[in-house]
Amino acid sequence: MFGDCQVMSNMGGNVVSSDTIYSLPIENPSFNFMSSMPFHTLSPIISKEGNGLVMPGKEEVESGSGCEQLEEKSGNEEESSEQPPKKKRYHRHTARQIQEMEAMFKECPHPDDKQRKRLSHELGLKPRQVKFWFQNRRTQMKAQQDRSDNNILRAENESLQNDNYRLQTELRSLICPDCGGQAMLGEIPFEELRLEHARLREELERVCCIASRYGGRPIHPMVPAPAFVPPSLDLDMSMYSRPFPESLGTCTDMMPMPMLPEGPEPSSFPEPGIVLMEEGEGLAMGLALSSMDELVKMCHANEPLWITNNENGKEMLNLEEHARMFPWPSNLEQNSSDMRTEATRDCAVVIMNSVNLVDAFLDANKWMELFPTIVARAKTVQVIKTGVCGASGSLHLMYAELQVLSPLVPTRETHFLRFCQQNVEEGTWAIVDFPLDSFHDNIRPSFPLYRRRPSGCVIQDLPNGYSRLTWIEHAEIEDKPVHQIFNQYVYSGMAFGARRWLAVLQRQCERVASLMARNISDLGVIPSPEARKNMMRLAQRMIRTFSLNISTSSGQSWTALPDSHDGTVRIISREITEPGQPNGVVLSAVSTTWLPYPHFLVFDLLRDEHRRSQLEVLSNGNALHEVAHIANGSHPGNCISLLRINVASNSSQHVDLMLQESCTDQSGSLVVFTTVDVESIQLAMSGEDPSCIPLLPLGFVIVPVEPSSSTVSEGNSIQSNSEDGNGNGHNNSGCLLTVGLQALASTIPSAKLNFSSVTAINNHLCNTVNQITVALSNTTTSSCLDNGNAAGSCNEPTAAPKQQV
């Protein structure tokens, strides 16, 4: 499988062959497989002499002692009258003389007589020559400064003229919203007109929406008059959206080999111009109520709306029945001929009450922290309506980018409206998301096209701070091909389905409970509850950084290595300047491999520091010893560990440490780790803010892949495109292992990568996957021999028990 990957000798040791390593020494906080890299620094574009603002050659002519030559001529008038006129001779200063006078000019542009005499004596020139050279130099400097000032003033003048012309044009184009004629400014207060216009339009749209719901047919409001907008310098910014910046090499902080400035969370969100105008708030509230009604019914309904697949026992949405029960307003429908529908439902119990859950869902930052592996970016663009009492009745305009932890699956970007409502009689909360782009024209479509149909959850409080959630994920996605190795994972609904959302939420709620607990006795050197919280926050940031760095979030464009196995290896380089990660150039490599083993079996191998230290490519032959342990979940694999790397170079003054977090749930498993120094750990444990500690995490993502269905009924929402075992898909159960490696290639942001660095990290990636595969094969073989090939011991491992709801 990995025959084309050559194992690097002494990979991870102290020295690596110079043929595949960079020529400049670097530090790699997580691995030593690249101890130096050949970076080619950029040659200077402007020579050092060019900074003197003097043209070569011209200065030498102008700096000649012209007056002295005139004096020589006047002192020999008699001879010149008798002799034929001779060509004027100009004295050219030597390079050393010019260099010395330039240095003197930088220190003192107006030297006195003593300084001129001293300088003329040192350079072998006359004082008058030095004097005239300085005069000419000052004249040149003044002329250049005047030209620069003129250019600046000319540009400012043109800008003012353009602004004046634009304002005059806007004033002339103002129209009356009632009669459509020329607006007469000054007769009626402008603010009163705007408020009255917005109030009447909102009332009209609300009445039309209510009539459409109960009349059975859509009723359109009157054709609106041209937009009534106050004259402002920011008209274009308030009315039109700005697309995501695709500079930085077609991505925001990562790119295919070109360098880009970093910032794992760059502020490349949509511009504030994407807002819902007051005229559309009435329509949005009407859609919010109908979407909430649809969500609640989808949570409680069974057949014929939800049909159970006899082959795998999964529920599937009957699209025909759904269209009959919930007709979407015809004036809001979009062409969905090229769209594929995904719809899933699941239920679970989490250890968090409804009030905290609702607060987290309505706060974009808390929402990202609650789903760090799913929500890459999120922002509350506009709070359209606040709750009457608490959060009930809140309506927010939001943006989100959803991700799968692999560069082989594109992210899904969407603008949507989020509505929250409390049912006091039933003691439940409901949160529904419904699409905004259906009736808002100023939103730039994402790629692939993604529209979030009414989705969300119904929350019911249980005793002891628990909650029961019923989750609905319903969306339309452009039917674009997915990489063959992720084909079944995406088309089965596991990638962005309700099961994954709830599984991550369960695990994160247990983590939050562990973070707030004070009666937990942790193993190791953690001195206080505050130090424990800081360690957990540091590990949470490590998980989020790793998730962002191995996906396609923020428009990151990865480069595929053509000679990689199965074409799954992707390479990217990033230029990091923001705090939180080591500054410089970071080279990342990610590979995904299908393994015929249960995902928990792979997870147990990789999370165990003793077994992982046996993999030479990961441990560099060094043993790992756990010095601190924090349990953050009911599963023993959900924990944070501080490991000491036992190497020969360790001493009482220098100790190498590794921070590791492992987590697992029904949707998959994650093992992430990074090397840290003792000073950083002491800083975190002393109660200081750990956000400044630089982290460069590496890790593994393991997701289960279920057997594909052979047939799918026509009209079902989820269709499996997996092929047979010899094709692109995988019919057999197993898991997908994604390995993400990162290396600090150089601390110089302007450094350029050499192809040998790519070869080195690719070889290390191949060796890592190869050793993991061999270790799993040996583990499975020994387990089968120990159990005597008992039924279900090897080929059909017993799945983890499903939580009863």
PDB file of all heavy atoms in Angstrom, residues 465-482:
ATOM      1  N   GLY A 465     -29.969  18.855  36.118  1.00  0.00           N
ATOM      2  CA  GLY A 465     -29.230  19.665  35.155  1.00  0.00           C
ATOM      3  C   GLY A 465     -29.036  19.023  33.801  1.00  0.00           C
ATOM      4  O   GLY A 465     -28.249  19.529  32.990  1.00  0.00           O
ATOM      5  N   TYR A 466     -29.730  17.931  33.489  1.00  0.00           N
ATOM      6  CA  TYR A 466     -29.621  17.282  32.192  1.00  0.00           C
ATOM      7  C   TYR A 466     -30.712  17.819  31.252  1.00  0.00           C
ATOM      8  O   TYR A 466     -31.690  18.432  31.683  1.00  0.00           O
ATOM      9  CB  TYR A 466     -29.757  15.770  32.317  1.00  0.00           C
ATOM     10  CG  TYR A 466     -28.534  15.078  32.866  1.00  0.00           C
ATOM     11  CD1 TYR A 466     -28.265  15.074  34.235  1.00  0.00           C
ATOM     12  CD2 TYR A 466     -27.640  14.416  32.027  1.00  0.00           C
ATOM     13  CE1 TYR A 466     -27.149  14.443  34.749  1.00  0.00           C
ATOM     14  CE2 TYR A 466     -26.529  13.765  32.530  1.00  0.00           C
ATOM     15  CZ  TYR A 466     -26.282  13.793  33.887  1.00  0.00           C
ATOM     16  OH  TYR A 466     -25.169  13.168  34.383  1.00  0.00           O
ATOM     17  N   SER A 467     -30.520  17.571  29.967  1.00  0.00           N
ATOM     18  CA  SER A 467     -31.500  17.959  28.957  1.00  0.00           C
ATOM     19  C   SER A 467     -31.574  16.880  27.895  1.00  0.00           C
ATOM     20  O   SER A 467     -30.574  16.229  27.581  1.00  0.00           O
ATOM     21  CB  SER A 467     -31.126  19.295  28.297  1.00  0.00           C
ATOM     22  OG  SER A 467     -31.070  20.333  29.252  1.00  0.00           O
ATOM     23  N   ARG A 468     -32.793  16.708  27.360  1.00  0.00           N
ATOM     24  CA  ARG A 468     -32.992  15.791  26.236  1.00  0.00           C
ATOM     25  C   ARG A 468     -33.176  16.634  24.970  1.00  0.00           C
ATOM     26  O   ARG A 468     -34.008  17.540  24.935  1.00  0.00           O
ATOM     27  CB  ARG A 468     -34.203  14.900  26.443  1.00  0.00           C
ATOM     28  CG  ARG A 468     -34.506  14.009  25.225  1.00  0.00           C
ATOM     29  CD  ARG A 468     -35.765  13.201  25.376  1.00  0.00           C
ATOM     30  NE  ARG A 468     -35.578  12.086  26.298  1.00  0.00           N
ATOM     31  CZ  ARG A 468     -36.128  12.004  27.505  1.00  0.00           C
ATOM     32  NH1 ARG A 468     -36.884  12.999  27.936  1.00  0.00           N
ATOM     33  NH2 ARG A 468     -35.924  10.965  28.283  1.00  0.00           N
ATOM     34  N   LEU A 469     -32.395  16.336  23.932  1.00  0.00           N
ATOM     35  CA  LEU A 469     -32.458  17.081  22.686  1.00  0.00           C
ATOM     36  C   LEU A 469     -32.876  16.158  21.559  1.00  0.00           C
ATOM     37  O   LEU A 469     -32.358  15.038  21.437  1.00  0.00           O
ATOM     38  CB  LEU A 469     -31.096  17.711  22.326  1.00  0.00           C
ATOM     39  CG  LEU A 469     -30.671  18.955  23.105  1.00  0.00           C
ATOM     40  CD1 LEU A 469     -29.971  18.561  24.397  1.00  0.00           C
ATOM     41  CD2 LEU A 469     -29.726  19.813  22.275  1.00  0.00           C
ATOM     42  N   THR A 470     -33.782  16.663  20.747  1.00  0.00           N
ATOM     43  CA  THR A 470     -34.118  16.028  19.476  1.00  0.00           C
ATOM     44  C   THR A 470     -33.626  16.955  18.376  1.00  0.00           C
ATOM     45  O   THR A 470     -34.053  18.112  18.302  1.00  0.00           O
ATOM     46  CB  THR A 470     -35.622  15.787  19.345  1.00  0.00           C
ATOM     47  OG1 THR A 470     -36.066  14.983  20.443  1.00  0.00           O
ATOM     48  CG2 THR A 470     -35.941  15.087  18.042  1.00  0.00           C
ATOM     49  N   TRP A 471     -32.738  16.456  17.547  1.00  0.00           N
ATOM     50  CA  TRP A 471     -32.006  17.300  16.593  1.00  0.00           C
ATOM     51  C   TRP A 471     -32.430  16.953  15.160  1.00  0.00           C
ATOM     52  O   TRP A 471     -32.514  15.778  14.801  1.00  0.00           O
ATOM     53  CB  TRP A 471     -30.513  17.081  16.758  1.00  0.00           C
ATOM     54  CG  TRP A 471     -29.647  18.141  16.141  1.00  0.00           C
ATOM     55  CD1 TRP A 471     -29.421  18.352  14.822  1.00  0.00           C
ATOM     56  CD2 TRP A 471     -28.891  19.126  16.841  1.00  0.00           C
ATOM     57  NE1 TRP A 471     -28.581  19.412  14.633  1.00  0.00           N
ATOM     58  CE2 TRP A 471     -28.231  19.917  15.859  1.00  0.00           C
ATOM     59  CE3 TRP A 471     -28.699  19.435  18.178  1.00  0.00           C
ATOM     60  CZ2 TRP A 471     -27.391  20.980  16.195  1.00  0.00           C
ATOM     61  CZ3 TRP A 471     -27.864  20.499  18.505  1.00  0.00           C
ATOM     62  CH2 TRP A 471     -27.232  21.248  17.530  1.00  0.00           C
ATOM     63  N   ILE A 472     -32.674  17.992  14.369  1.00  0.00           N
ATOM     64  CA  ILE A 472     -33.007  17.839  12.949  1.00  0.00           C
ATOM     65  C   ILE A 472     -31.964  18.583  12.128  1.00  0.00           C
ATOM     66  O   ILE A 472     -31.677  19.758  12.388  1.00  0.00           O
ATOM     67  CB  ILE A 472     -34.408  18.409  12.626  1.00  0.00           C
ATOM     68  CG1 ILE A 472     -35.487  17.667  13.410  1.00  0.00           C
ATOM     69  CG2 ILE A 472     -34.682  18.341  11.127  1.00  0.00           C
ATOM     70  CD1 ILE A 472     -35.706  16.250  12.973  1.00  0.00           C
ATOM     71  N   GLU A 473     -31.382  17.888  11.152  1.00  0.00           N
ATOM     72  CA  GLU A 473     -30.494  18.531  10.181  1.00  0.00           C
ATOM     73  C   GLU A 473     -31.111  18.349   8.797  1.00  0.00           C
ATOM     74  O   GLU A 473     -31.244  17.221   8.320  1.00  0.00           O
ATOM     75  CB  GLU A 473     -29.086  17.930  10.216  1.00  0.00           C
ATOM     76  CG  GLU A 473     -28.175  18.531  11.254  1.00  0.00           C
ATOM     77  CD  GLU A 473     -27.912  20.010  11.030  1.00  0.00           C
ATOM     78  OE1 GLU A 473     -27.526  20.383   9.897  1.00  0.00           O
ATOM     79  OE2 GLU A 473     -28.094  20.785  11.985  1.00  0.00           O
ATOM     80  N   HIS A 474     -31.470  19.455   8.173  1.00  0.00           N
ATOM     81  CA  HIS A 474     -32.136  19.408   6.876  1.00  0.00           C
ATOM     82  C   HIS A 474     -31.512  20.488   6.000  1.00  0.00           C
ATOM     83  O   HIS A 474     -31.528  21.675   6.364  1.00  0.00           O
ATOM     84  CB  HIS A 474     -33.636  19.647   7.048  1.00  0.00           C
ATOM     85  CG  HIS A 474     -34.414  19.455   5.795  1.00  0.00           C
ATOM     86  ND1 HIS A 474     -35.734  19.854   5.661  1.00  0.00           N
ATOM     87  CD2 HIS A 474     -34.074  18.898   4.588  1.00  0.00           C
ATOM     88  CE1 HIS A 474     -36.159  19.564   4.446  1.00  0.00           C
ATOM     89  NE2 HIS A 474     -35.178  18.975   3.777  1.00  0.00           N
ATOM     90  N   ALA A 475     -30.927  20.105   4.883  1.00  0.00           N
ATOM     91  CA  ALA A 475     -30.225  21.067   4.037  1.00  0.00           C
ATOM     92  C   ALA A 475     -30.249  20.604   2.595  1.00  0.00           C
ATOM     93  O   ALA A 475     -30.495  19.418   2.298  1.00  0.00           O
ATOM     94  CB  ALA A 475     -28.782  21.251   4.501  1.00  0.00           C
ATOM     95  N   GLU A 476     -30.002  21.564   1.716  1.00  0.00           N
ATOM     96  CA  GLU A 476     -29.833  21.286   0.294  1.00  0.00           C
ATOM     97  C   GLU A 476     -28.423  21.681  -0.094  1.00  0.00           C
ATOM     98  O   GLU A 476     -27.978  22.800   0.177  1.00  0.00           O
ATOM     99  CB  GLU A 476     -30.856  22.064  -0.538  1.00  0.00           C
ATOM    100  CG  GLU A 476     -32.291  21.614  -0.325  1.00  0.00           C
ATOM    101  CD  GLU A 476     -33.284  22.434  -1.139  1.00  0.00           C
ATOM    102  OE1 GLU A 476     -32.866  23.500  -1.633  1.00  0.00           O
ATOM    103  OE2 GLU A 476     -34.437  22.013  -1.271  1.00  0.00           O
ATOM    104  N   ILE A 477     -27.717  20.769  -0.724  1.00  0.00           N
ATOM    105  CA  ILE A 477     -26.324  20.974  -1.091  1.00  0.00           C
ATOM    106  C   ILE A 477     -26.163  20.703  -2.576  1.00  0.00           C
ATOM    107  O   ILE A 477     -26.780  19.778  -3.131  1.00  0.00           O
ATOM    108  CB  ILE A 477     -25.385  20.067  -0.256  1.00  0.00           C
ATOM    109  CG1 ILE A 477     -23.915  20.326  -0.601  1.00  0.00           C
ATOM    110  CG2 ILE A 477     -25.762  18.605  -0.425  1.00  0.00           C
ATOM    111  CD1 ILE A 477     -23.404  21.630  -0.127  1.00  0.00           C
ATOM    112  N   GLU A 478     -25.351  21.512  -3.222  1.00  0.00           N
ATOM    113  CA  GLU A 478     -25.094  21.312  -4.645  1.00  0.00           C
ATOM    114  C   GLU A 478     -24.444  19.949  -4.853  1.00  0.00           C
ATOM    115  O   GLU A 478     -23.490  19.593  -4.160  1.00  0.00           O
ATOM    116  CB  GLU A 478     -24.198  22.435  -5.162  1.00  0.00           C
ATOM    117  CG  GLU A 478     -23.995  22.431  -6.666  1.00  0.00           C
ATOM    118  CD  GLU A 478     -23.163  23.611  -7.141  1.00  0.00           C
ATOM    119  OE1 GLU A 478     -22.613  24.332  -6.274  1.00  0.00           O
ATOM    120  OE2 GLU A 478     -23.074  23.813  -8.356  1.00  0.00           O
ATOM    121  N   ASP A 479     -24.960  19.219  -5.808  1.00  0.00           N
ATOM    122  CA  ASP A 479     -24.509  17.843  -6.027  1.00  0.00           C
ATOM    123  C   ASP A 479     -23.197  17.851  -6.796  1.00  0.00           C
ATOM    124  O   ASP A 479     -23.160  17.688  -8.022  1.00  0.00           O
ATOM    125  CB  ASP A 479     -25.577  17.059  -6.783  1.00  0.00           C
ATOM    126  CG  ASP A 479     -25.378  15.556  -6.643  1.00  0.00           C
ATOM    127  OD1 ASP A 479     -24.446  15.158  -5.912  1.00  0.00           O
ATOM    128  OD2 ASP A 479     -26.143  14.794  -7.244  1.00  0.00           O
ATOM    129  N   LYS A 480     -22.101  18.046  -6.073  1.00  0.00           N
ATOM    130  CA  LYS A 480     -20.766  18.038  -6.647  1.00  0.00           C
ATOM    131  C   LYS A 480     -20.032  16.768  -6.214  1.00  0.00           C
ATOM    132  O   LYS A 480     -20.291  16.226  -5.134  1.00  0.00           O
ATOM    133  CB  LYS A 480     -19.977  19.271  -6.198  1.00  0.00           C
ATOM    134  CG  LYS A 480     -20.549  20.586  -6.700  1.00  0.00           C
ATOM    135  CD  LYS A 480     -20.375  20.729  -8.204  1.00  0.00           C
ATOM    136  CE  LYS A 480     -20.855  22.073  -8.692  1.00  0.00           C
ATOM    137  NZ  LYS A 480     -20.714  22.233 -10.165  1.00  0.00           N
ATOM    138  N   PRO A 481     -19.116  16.274  -7.037  1.00  0.00           N
ATOM    139  CA  PRO A 481     -18.398  15.051  -6.651  1.00  0.00           C
ATOM    140  C   PRO A 481     -17.517  15.265  -5.430  1.00  0.00           C
ATOM    141  O   PRO A 481     -16.951  16.342  -5.238  1.00  0.00           O
ATOM    142  CB  PRO A 481     -17.565  14.724  -7.898  1.00  0.00           C
ATOM    143  CG  PRO A 481     -17.438  16.025  -8.631  1.00  0.00           C
ATOM    144  CD  PRO A 481     -18.713  16.770  -8.370  1.00  0.00           C
ATOM    145  N   VAL A 482     -17.447  14.241  -4.605  1.00  0.00           N
ATOM    146  CA  VAL A 482     -16.616  14.241  -3.407  1.00  0.00           C
ATOM    147  C   VAL A 482     -15.471  13.260  -3.627  1.00  0.00           C
ATOM    148  O   VAL A 482     -15.611  12.289  -4.380  1.00  0.00           O
ATOM    149  CB  VAL A 482     -17.450  13.855  -2.165  1.00  0.00           C
ATOM    150  CG1 VAL A 482     -16.614  13.904  -0.892  1.00  0.00           C
ATOM    151  CG2 VAL A 482     -18.654  14.785  -2.036  1.00  0.00           C
TER     152      VAL A 482
END
